[in-house]
Amino acid sequence: MTVTIAPACPQDVAQLRQLYFDVYGHGYPVALGSDPEEMRRLIADPHTHWLTARQDSGRLAGSVAVQTDAGSRIGKLVGLAVHPEQRGGGLAGRLTAAVCADAFAGGALDSVYATVRVVTPGPQQVFVRNGFRALGLLPNAVEVAGCESLALFARHADGVLARRETVGAVPGALLPLLEAARRSTGLDHGRPRAAVAPARPAGRSAPVTAPMELIAAPGFVRRRFLELFPDPGARFFPLHLPNAVLTPPDGAFEAYADLDPVAASCSLVAVHPSPAAVAGALEPLMAAVTRAGADYVETLLPLADTAALDAFLAAGFIPSAVYPAMRRIGDRFHDYVVLSRTSRQIDFRATAAGPRLRPYLESYLTAWTSTYLTLPEVAP
């Protein structure tokens, strides 16, 4: 049966919703496949590349989209879905290849990333065959059919990876992740040495114990966010805008978050006055996010920003993924690290970790154990 791949149009919304329901049931956590208003907006958005696959009969057989962030030159592949009756024929790969070719064609993107379900190996194979590299594992990252872990994959435009800046030193806790990335992708991150941990900055001497205040007012939060971070470089977190802010009662810091209770996830986009200010405040912050419906929190930091990385590592975040050449500054590209924390018990028994993900699984388990299961020294 012939399948035609073409751009999505507003008239497809009803069939697209039915497609995502047929694939995911009621558990699909992305507005792209469930919210008609948002779907029509994205179809009309010039920064979104949305393709459908249609059978001769007119029935939709598949869908995929790449949402782009023009300012960061990064795209995110989302919504890859193939009707259960059409699986096994290579349609997922055809859709992925077509939407990436469309997204990269204009030269406006340096990379496209995707978060991939790992309950089966099939989705991982689709991305690997289309030039994506596995970059890490995000445990408990999303609520789909229960709590699921995701893998981070990315594909770069030609020539981008050859213009990466090297980093001389990183926190020692990151070295297993960088070695896992080298084993999985073959990319060298400059073989940095372990940096000496900085002294704890002066300030609060005791951990925060009072409940964290959470303000979920998207318009106000974004205005305040732009006032505090007028420089785009200081708010680099592609395709995420904060809709909530968390702050302790004494106002020592403001943590800006993209909170998604439907997916049960939260991205910490930026902290004012600095990431180090969250030191000692993890537990009430995690409690506030959990009350708001998110069991998973992540943040994104430059590989070269040792002070910020140390602050989040000290707060119990685990190195989960490394994104090479994520940010362009001038003619050079800089690597970034994803750090994550989950408040729900992690269960990897249903994780199909293929050869490209297994190094990251081992790295995560090592980091989690050293953070949360520190063994007492035994006297000789």
Side-chain angles (χ1 to χ4, degrees), residues 264-292:
S265 69
C266 175
S267 297
L268 286 182
V269 177
V271 179
H272 184 272
S274 73
V278 301
L282 173 68
E283 298 309 324
L285 187 149
M286 290 295 300
V289 169
T290 301
R291 288 194 301 272

Side-chain angles (χ1 to χ4, degrees), residues 6 48 72 90 94 97 156 167 178 196 262 279 289 298 304 310:
T48 299
S72 67
R94 286 181 58 196
H156 292 77
V167 175
L178 300 187
V196 177
V262 175
V289 169
E298 68 180 16
D310 273 318

Side-chain angles (χ1 to χ4, degrees), residues 199-208 248 250-253 273-274 276-281:
R200 183 67 58 87
R204 185 188 293 115
S205 59
V208 173
D250 63 3
F253 66 84
S274 73
V278 301

Side-chain angles (χ1 to χ4, degrees), residues 345-365:
Q345 181 177 345
I346 305 170
D347 186 350
F348 286 122
R349 288 176 296 179
T351 299
R356 289 174 177 81
L357 281 185
R358 197 169 298 120
Y360 295 112
L361 177 58
E362 296 168 359
S363 167
Y364 187 90
L365 291 172

